Amino acid sequence: MTGTVERDADRALKAKHRALWAAGNYPAVAADLIPTFGPTLVAAAGVTAGRRVLDVGAGSGNAAIPAAERGAIVTAADLTPELFVAGRTAAAERGVDLEWVEADAEALPFPDGSFDVVLSSVGAMFAPHHQAVADELLRVCRPGGTIAMINWTPEGFIGQLFRLMAPYAPPPPPGASPPPLWGDEQHVRELFGDRITDLSMDRRIVVMDHSADPTEFREYWKHNYGPTIAVYRFNAVDPDRTADLDRKFLQFLTDWNRAGQLGRTAYDAEYLLLTARKR
C-alpha cells in the first residue's frame, strides 16, 4: 500500500510540474532572454557530427536544435511535451531533424550508455530530486562520454528571484531540493562523486535586457514564465499577499537593474557552465 501511495504522489507531482512549464510561454522566454545558452552549451560539450546527443529538460530545443545543426543525432527529452510544438517548428525552420520524447529527468526511458553526450540547459535542474537526476544523466551516458549543463546559481539573479518567490510558493514536495543548488559547485561534486573525471565548472553571466523598465519586466515574468505564473496563481485568492508580492518583485527588479538610464533595463544573470566525462 505504501508503494502505491508513493507512486500516486509522484505521478501527481510530475503532472503538476508538467502543467507549470506548459503555462505561459517558455519558448518565448528562452528565445528572448537566453538565446545564447544552447550554442554555448553545445560548443562546450564538443558536439560534432554523428555524435548521439540527449538534451534533458530540452523545452523547445534551445540546446537540442544547435546540436542537430552540427550534424549530431539528437534526442530532445522533456516532461512537458506541449513545448515540443514550438520546438518542431523551430527545427523545421532551421532545416534540422531530431527526435522529441516525453521523459522524466528522474527516470529517463533510455538504455544504459545510449548517448555520447548528455546536455541540459536550465532544464534538468528543475526536477525536484537532484540525486536521481544526476544518476540518470550518468546512466544514459556511455563510459567516456560527456555530460554538460548550464544551471542558474543560487547567488545570481535567477537564484535570488526564486528566493524572493519562495515564501509565496506552495510548500515543496518531501525530499525536494531547490533548483539553483545545481549552480553550486560543491553540490555538483557531491551529486556526481567519483563517477566522473575532467570536471570543469565556470561561472558566467548572461545579460537580460529585454524590457524598457522594471515594471514591464515584472509583467513579462508574470505572463510568460511558468514558475512565476504558478506562484501568482497560488496567491490569487489573497489580494493583499498578491499586492505584497508585486511590490517586493518590483523592488527586486529595480535594485538589480544596472542599465543606469531611462527606457532600458539590464540584468546580469549568473549561471554555472559545467562539463565532465563519465568514467
Side-chain angles (χ1 to χ4, degrees):
M1 178 64 76
T2 301
T4 301
V5 172
E6 290 176 349
R7 285 192 296 272
D8 288 345
D10 188 65
R11 280 194 290 268
L13 174 61
K14 301 306 181 184
K16 182 178 179 180
H17 273 235
R18 173 176 171 171
L20 181 152
W21 290 105
N25 190 351
Y26 185 74
V29 173
D32 292 340
L33 303 184
I34 52 171
T36 60
F37 272 15
T40 295
L41 186 61
V42 167
V47 173
T48 54
R51 303 289 293 281
R52 300 166 298 164
V53 175
L54 174 65
D55 184 8
V56 181
S60 52
N62 194 26
I65 293 173
E69 288 179 318
R70 289 191 170 211
I73 304 164
V74 180
T75 300
D78 200 282
L79 186 66
T80 307
E82 290 86 345
L83 301 175
F84 295 166
V85 176
R88 289 189 175 101
T89 299
E93 290 174 350
R94 291 159 70 169
V96 295
D97 186 36
L98 54 152
E99 183 180 16
W100 302 86
V101 177
E102 180 179 349
D104 179 0
E106 297 178 3
L108 294 168
F110 309 109
D112 296 359
S114 298
F115 299 95
D116 301 303
V117 181
V118 179
L119 306 173
S120 185
S121 174
V122 292
M125 65 176 289
F126 288 99
H129 304 109
H130 293 189
Q131 191 61 64
V133 172
D135 293 347
E136 283 295 274
L137 298 180
L138 283 164
R139 182 185 65 78
V140 300
C141 185
R142 67 165 174 81
T146 299
I147 294 171
M149 304 179 75
I150 285 179
N151 300 319
W152 299 117
T153 66
E155 301 85 0
F157 173 71
I158 300 298
Q160 290 300 299
L161 173 58
F162 274 93
R163 183 178 181 184
L164 171 74
M165 295 283 171
Y168 299 89
S177 298
L181 270 181
W182 267 108
D184 177 81
E185 292 88 345
Q186 184 57 35
H187 186 65
V188 170
R189 292 187 185 97
E190 292 172 355
L191 290 173
F192 290 123
D194 61 1
R195 297 175 294 174
I196 58 172
T197 63
D198 303 324
L199 175 61
S200 172
M201 293 186 284
D202 182 25
R203 290 195 177 212
R204 299 186 180 185
I205 297 291
V206 61
V207 178
M208 298 180 176
D209 55 1
H210 180 266
S211 300
D213 58 62
T215 300
E216 180 182 304
F217 204 33
R218 182 189 67 187
E219 297 308 302
Y220 179 89
W221 286 100
K222 288 170 62 176
H223 288 93
N224 291 289
Y225 192 58
T228 310
I229 292 169
V231 169
Y232 271 90
R233 285 179 178 171
F234 184 68
N235 292 277
V237 296
D238 191 333
D240 290 337
R241 277 180 63 84
T242 299
D244 188 57
L245 174 57
D246 258 349
R247 179 183 59 79
K248 289 181 179 176
F249 196 0
L250 181 58
Q251 187 61 55
F252 171 80
L253 293 174
T254 301
D255 292 343
W256 274 78
N257 180 22
R258 65 163 183 80
Q261 63 186 83
L262 292 175
R264 285 195 59 197
T265 57
Y267 297 91
D268 289 343
E270 185 182 62
Y271 64 93
L272 182 71
L273 172 64
L274 70 95
T275 60
R277 293 196 180 279
K278 178 180 174 179
R279 286 190 186 276

